Amino acid sequence: MTTSNQRPEARTATEPPAWAIEIEGLERSYGEVQALRQVSLSIRKGEFFSLLGPSGCGKTTLLRLIAGLELPDAGRLLIGGRDALTIPAHQRPVNTVFQSYALFPHLNIRDNVAFGLKMKKLPPTEIKQRVDRIMELVAIQDLAERRPAQISGGQKQRVALARAVVNEPEVLLLDEPLGALDLKLRKQLQVELHQLQRRLGITFVHVTHDQDEALMMSDRIAVMKDGRIEQLDVGQRLYEQPRTKFVAQFLGSCNLFAGPVIQLNGSSAIVETEVGRLTLSFPASVRRLTIGQKITLALRPENLHLAYEAFPGCGNVFPAKVEAVIYGGAETQYRLVAGQLPLQATVLNSRMANQTFKEGDEIRCAIAEEALILLEDE
Amino acid sequence: MNADPQTNDRSLTGALTRNGHWWRSALTSGPGLAWLTAFLLIPLLAIVTISFLTRGEYGEIERPFTFDNYQRLLGFGLLGFDPLYPTILVRSLILGLTTAGLCLFAALPLAFFIARLPGGWKTAALILVVVPFWTNLLIRTYAWQILFSSESWLCRTAQALGWLSPGTALYPGFLAVLVGMVCDFLPFMVLPLYASVEKIDWTLAEAAVDLGANPWQVFRHALLPQIIPGLSAGWVLVFLPATGQFVIPDLLGGAKTTMLGNLIQQQFGPSRDWPFGAAISFVALLLVVGGLWLRARNAPEKDGGLM
């Protein structure tokens, strides 16, 4: 964004705001449907931020509100410290990479990329320089004279990216940018996108329903559900310490245990679950538990350890039966049943691996106390 | 890379022909071709031929071959330059252009409005656009005569408001002609435009807004290119007949001015000068074809010709 568009009062502030985007109590409904309910969040400058959630969770609506393509019913939205709701969409310092790419079919690739600069009526020499540089950066310089109908999906994606980035926005909005591509290309572009963001230093706000994509690319992720932000954190924390059942299940798969607390000792608790008594240790910062309270525990499949014989010195051990073995190359997935409770376990197939199990085997499962995640009530 | 659909098409036709099925295409396109040859191509050639012949004393078509008819049309008659015929030509073109321009001006917002109506209302609105066609053109035109005469409520109101000097009327006059023309031709502009507007990909408009285009730029760069096919179809459908139209200018303009249409009609009718009439017809045809050719040449290749 050119500095001429920045308001003088924002410039006079002693130090530039650390937030690229600040959102407070944003609401939006479509008739009866509430797409966004009281959404508040802040996005740091230079951050790769992902909005993750199933379809209909409001993530795209939030993106469109930031872009200015829609207006909220209530709430505040600041972009670079300035109130953005009073700025019409075409003057906001943001650009969007659309899910369908939305390239102009009547213009060639070069003119598509130059579109935003031409709208701002920049001098032709500057337009040419900037367009050339960006097209080289995303490796589409050979396509300059082609029409959008004549290039592949992956190439279109790059053109859409170049067309947005060439305007040097404060924030780049990406609406499921890789959604229409096949898996292999998607993996490749994920890496490229991540590198590009690091190189340009532009704040990226990325909408996706693909948890792997979000985990791989983002600095922080907001998991959304029913128009609300369910949890906002760095990827690792979201995966290792999901707050709710929804987050635990949406990011990766998990086993769930439920039951009343029967004993409390400082930072550990014993819970009577479907598979028997499980000991859980939790940091002191976690909410207080009371005896008799019904709680839900989550466990990642890779943290469910399997063995034929007993685990010496481990408390959380219970028997289970192997129902199915799914070999997946690097790892093997086991479907188990413990009592009535179906469970899943993932075992890495390294040369160091101790054992493999067969369908129908009666085995034992063990869980480390720290691996159990205490979930909030829903 | 996508395969070029045209090459596919060609190879398909090629395969059919190689397999000896050429008679199939002859059978299917034959009747149409025969019809066009008998009733369009041959008469057209006759017109062209006649236009180079001479009118006999009693209106016969005689030799010798001559360019006199065309010279006359361009204003170079026996008595030196006379701008009568070029004026008629230009006047007709101006009427056609003005009508088409006004229709476009009126139809563009209307097409967008209809396209954005909810389902059932769309159909209702389209029917309303077409409804005037259910009344005969002459009746509609006479109705305008009455409405624009000095004693009508319309003119009285205009007089009362001071928009019109007392006792005067709108009919006959150029404004009345334009009103009649636009009302007659508007549906021909609205319908093809609507068909294009209906198919607009609005994410392109959003993309343009996002890239900093102001409302006018959005229309110019994101919407207009998408409705060019409907726009040019509508333009052709209005401009061509409007240029040749003479009933409305006659009835609402007060029969004082000659248009291309009545000039031709005069030559084949009262004046019995078929060669001159043929020459005018042919020049009018050339003008029209020339216009279409220019449009097709300047249009982006994707549009696919006329429509």
Side-chain angles (χ1 to χ4, degrees), chain A residues 339-361:
Chain A
Q340 295 294 314
L341 189 70
L343 295 172
Q344 47 182 324
T346 305
V347 177
L348 199 63
N349 294 331
S350 79
R351 288 290 171 92
M352 309 279 283
N354 30 15
Q355 267 162 324
T356 54
F357 308 92
K358 295 188 299 295
E359 233 175 273
D361 281 357

Side-chain angles (χ1 to χ4, degrees), chain A residues 64 90 95-96 103 106 149-150, chain B residues 1-2 206 209-210 212-213 221:
Chain A
R64 292 173 61 84
H90 70 275
N95 285 114
T96 309
L103 301 180
H106 58 286
Q150 297 169 319
Chain B
M1 267 306 298
N2 296 336
E206 291 193 338
V209 170
D210 187 75
H221 297 287

Side-chain angles (χ1 to χ4, degrees), chain B residues 2-217:
Chain B
N2 296 336
D4 183 3
Q6 267 193 335
T7 5
N8 283 346
D9 204 44
R10 233 177 259 135
S11 64
L12 184 67
T13 329
L16 282 180
T17 320
R18 269 197 305 280
N19 292 340
H21 291 311
W22 63 267
W23 52 267
R24 246 190 223 170
S25 43
L27 201 68
T28 45
S29 57
L33 280 178
W35 181 275
L36 286 178
T37 311
F39 299 111
L40 186 74
L41 193 62
I42 292 175
L44 197 62
L45 289 174
I47 291 272
V48 175
T49 316
I50 291 170
S51 74
F52 289 105
L53 291 169
T54 315
R55 177 187 188 266
E57 211 167 323
Y58 302 102
E60 320 89 299
I61 301 154
E62 289 176 345
R63 278 195 284 186
F65 279 98
T66 168
F67 287 102
D68 280 359
N69 298 314
Y70 291 95
Q71 278 183 9
R72 231 174 110 197
L73 183 58
L74 292 175
F76 302 100
L78 291 169
L79 307 166
F81 183 74
D82 177 1
L84 174 64
Y85 297 126
T87 311
I88 293 173
L89 211 67
V90 169
R91 187 188 293 142
S92 295
L93 284 175
I94 287 176
L95 183 69
L97 283 172
T98 319
T99 306
L102 286 173
C103 280
L104 180 62
F105 194 69
L108 207 54
L110 186 59
F112 275 90
F113 173 72
I114 297 175
R116 303 212 112 181
L117 285 175
W121 291 97
K122 252 183 226 183
T123 322
L126 286 174
I127 289 174
L128 283 178
V129 168
V130 184
V131 154
F133 277 133
W134 299 352
T135 314
N136 183 284
L137 170 67
L138 287 175
I139 295 174
R140 269 182 287 150
T141 311
Y142 283 124
W144 280 120
Q145 275 190 0
I146 297 165
L147 206 56
F148 283 148
S149 63
S150 60
E151 294 306 302
S152 73
W153 63 265
L154 190 73
C155 288
R156 277 170 186 270
T157 314
Q159 285 160 14
L161 289 170
W163 294 348
L164 233 115
S165 41
T168 55
L170 290 168
Y171 157 78
F174 189 60
L175 182 71
V177 173
L178 282 182
V179 170
M181 292 286 275
V182 169
C183 284
D184 189 35
F185 287 109
L186 191 59
F188 293 107
M189 189 66 94
V190 172
L191 295 179
L193 257 185
Y194 164 77
S196 271
V197 170
E198 174 86 306
K199 281 185 288 187
I200 281 182
D201 178 0
W202 286 96
T203 54
L204 292 183
E206 291 193 338
V209 170
D210 187 75
L211 291 165
N214 62 35
W216 160 249
Q217 288 171 322

